[in-house]
Amino acid sequence: MKKNILITGGAGFIGSHVVRLFVNKYPQYNIFNLDALTYAGNLENLTDMSDKENYTFLKGDITNIDFVNSIFAKFNFDGVIHLAAESHVDRSITNPMEFINTNIVGTVVLLNAAKENWKNDFSNKLFYHISTDEVYGSLGETGFFKETTNYDPQSPYSASKASSDHLVRAYNNTYKLPIVISNCSNNYGSHQFPEKLIPLSINNIKNNKPIPIYGKGDNIRDWLFVEDHANAIDVIFHKGKNGETYNIGGINEWTNLDLIHKLCEVMDKKLGREPETSKKLITFVTDRAGHDKRYAIDASKLTKELGWKPSLQFEEGIEKTVDWYLNNEDWVKNIVSGDYAKYYESMYKNR
Ligand code: NAD
Ligand code: TDX
């Protein structure tokens, strides 16, 4: 019997990489992608999946109890990999309610459906919740987030993800629902919605528009290539221990300003511009409210216990990423020609 695996949020950035990996690597699984196709969901991320026999797209909202229960009853999922979420910190500052609904309520709807559907036999079932390093808060100049670091979320986004993590653990403790959680650092790579720093900057550099850097550009993020995150998810889904948390990170810290300098260098080369040309587009703008200073992940538990480590150096990953955006102009055009223009105008006009 083929296993039925539910992936939520599979039309988004990371989810589409996870869907592609699982569909191609595991013909013995039927992969079901449940996605509401919000502004961030895009079936163009998965055009290469549409004719795969072991792939099914289900359009639906994870907060819709009847719908979620009905698909659990119909497909008897053996496992869930839960990525669907509102994911952009800036949007959580202007519109926190959507984050509460999707990230907290939606997660509980899925947990309940799994618990009810699996209640007679939890063996060989798994609810895998994908989370973020932002739940741990903000670091000073030293130290790393470990799995044992206390939660200290600082934005509506990270607080909603922290709540969902707590609820997933509560279902494990109270109902013995088999779960794993992973908390990952910032991802970059193909198919990322251009509201996030790297694809936004690539698009602006290409079009000779200002690159907005919040504050002084001295905030630090730990960047991981998205395909390495998808590989870590594969390893944790198959080898992770019930009830455990695994941190995933790139061992790759950059200040935002250094990262944009690197990106400008790569783009100047790729676009045939004189060195130092694109750097002139850098524009310092009003800081993000409550902007976390530094994230850095200690992923040694995952490496030691399950054998995962990142496969790519940042220099290689950023070149691949830039190449993808430059070779997929239509993908970008289809996004920036829609509601994105309105979003960009309201987010950046008074900064
Ligand atoms: P994304 O915004 O690109 O994609 C989110 C997807 O979820 C979209 O396809 C969207 O349509 C779908 N979705 C949103 N609300 C939904 C709902 N109510 N019902 C069904 N589908 C819905 O996000 P991403 O960057 O790919 O992040 C995926 C997951 O990974 C999130 O849980 C996020 O918190 C986590 N994460 C992201 C990063 C990162 O750097 N992007 C890092 C660590 C963890
Ligand atoms: O225009 C910008 N200018 C700027 O300076 C944008 C969009 C961002 N920034 C800064 C803010 C951050 O310090 O760049 C850094 C990265 O910003 P984002 O790409 O928005 O990512 P971040 O806020 O760090 O969160 C990301 O990583 C953790 C994802 O969006 C989350 O979903 C994930 O959980």
Side-chain angles (χ1 to χ4, degrees):
M1 272 278 278
K2 276 188 165 189
K3 278 192 170 185
N4 287 348
I5 309 295
L6 176 67
I7 298 179
T8 70
F13 165 49
I14 302 169
S16 63
H17 286 275
V18 176
V19 165
R20 181 170 299 103
L21 176 70
F22 273 67
V23 167
N24 288 334
K25 188 169 171 185
Y26 299 108
Q28 70 274 31
Y29 295 164
N30 291 313
I31 300 300
F32 294 82
N33 169 15
L34 166 59
D35 198 296
L37 299 181
T38 68
Y39 80 91
N42 185 352
L43 288 181
E44 284 184 41
N45 294 350
L46 291 165
T47 42
D48 54 333
M49 293 294 104
S50 53
D51 60 351
K52 302 278 181 178
E53 225 178 88
N54 62 336
Y55 172 70
T56 305
F57 177 66
L58 303 168
K59 184 172 184 317
D61 191 321
I62 57 166
T63 65
N64 182 335
I65 298 172
D66 291 341
F67 175 75
V68 169
N69 287 343
S70 75
I71 60 168
F72 269 82
K74 185 164 176 197
F75 300 112
N76 285 312
F77 302 119
D78 298 285
V80 176
I81 306 177
H82 174 36
L83 295 106
E86 288 294 334
S87 70
H88 192 39
V89 175
D90 290 326
R91 290 187 194 248
S92 84
I93 295 168
T94 44
N95 198 359
M97 269 321 281
E98 278 182 27
F99 287 70
I100 306 309
N101 279 331
T102 294
N103 299 0
I104 306 177
V105 177
T107 300
V108 177
V109 170
L110 288 164
L111 285 166
N112 273 332
K115 171 172 84 68
E116 284 309 303
N117 197 258
W118 298 343
K119 67 183 169 200
N120 293 329
D121 184 9
F122 279 161
S123 58
N124 299 317
K125 302 285 195 285
L126 182 64
F127 189 102
Y128 179 5
H129 179 60
I130 307 299
S131 192
T132 171
D133 59 356
E134 300 195 16
V135 298
Y136 298 120
S138 179
L139 288 165
E141 276 170 24
T142 56
F144 294 91
F145 297 134
K146 297 175 88 69
E147 288 81 357
T148 49
T149 303
N150 285 339
Y151 275 33
D152 187 20
Q154 299 292 321
S155 72
Y157 164 68
S158 55
S160 69
K161 292 295 291 187
S163 301
S164 64
D165 293 10
H166 289 317
L167 284 156
V168 172
R169 289 196 185 96
Y171 272 64
N172 180 249
N173 180 62
T174 310
Y175 308 110
K176 309 301 168 209
L177 186 77
I179 66 107
V180 281
I181 298 178
S182 57
N183 296 80
C184 189
S185 61
N186 285 60
N187 284 214
Y188 71 97
S190 70
H191 302 91
Q192 187 170 28
F193 195 87
E195 64 190 349
K196 308 279 165 63
L197 178 67
I198 290 183
L200 181 146
S201 302
I202 292 174
N203 190 42
N204 286 14
I205 293 169
K206 181 164 174 271
N207 295 303
N208 276 308
K209 283 173 57 179
I211 310 166
I213 302 281
Y214 299 164
K216 294 195 214 120
D218 56 357
N219 301 69
I220 294 172
R221 299 290 182 264
D222 173 4
W223 293 93
L224 179 69
F225 192 56
V226 64
E227 291 175 35
D228 278 330
H229 188 187
N231 284 327
I233 290 172
D234 177 15
V235 169
I236 294 167
F237 182 71
H238 290 98
K239 298 206 261 173
K241 289 203 199 87
N242 181 14
E244 291 289 315
T245 295
Y246 299 91
N247 280 355
I248 312 172
I251 321 161
N252 180 40
E253 291 181 53
W254 290 77
T255 66
N256 292 336
L257 192 57
D258 285 347
L259 180 134
I260 294 303
H261 282 162
K262 178 81 205 161
L263 187 63
C264 287
E265 205 184 285
V266 172
M267 295 278 298
D268 282 342
K269 250 191 261 155
K270 302 267 177 202
L271 295 170
R273 294 179 181 167
E274 289 294 313
E276 309 288 314
T277 308
S278 300
K279 274 186 191 169
K280 296 186 190 117
L281 297 169
I282 290 174
T283 309
F284 293 95
V285 300
T286 309
D287 210 352
R288 174 184 279 173
H291 196 173
D292 287 341
K293 183 72 180 182
R294 173 173 169 254
Y295 306 142
I297 278 276
D298 177 348
S300 58
K301 174 178 174 184
L302 179 57
T303 304
K304 274 193 211 124
E305 293 186 12
L306 306 186
W308 174 90
K309 54 177 186 319
S311 69
L312 271 190
Q313 292 299 314
F314 188 66
E315 282 68 15
E316 190 185 347
I318 202 73
E319 288 226 10
K320 278 188 171 199
T321 305
V322 169
D323 284 341
W324 187 86
Y325 280 94
L326 295 181
N327 291 330
N328 288 276
E329 286 185 342
D330 283 348
W331 184 94
V332 180
K333 223 179 265 166
N334 289 344
I335 287 174
V336 299
S337 60
D339 283 346
Y340 180 80
K342 270 186 248 152
Y343 162 80
Y344 196 91
E345 171 73 10
S346 72
M347 188 61 71
Y348 291 97
K349 84 174 166 220
N350 292 323
R351 280 195 115 107

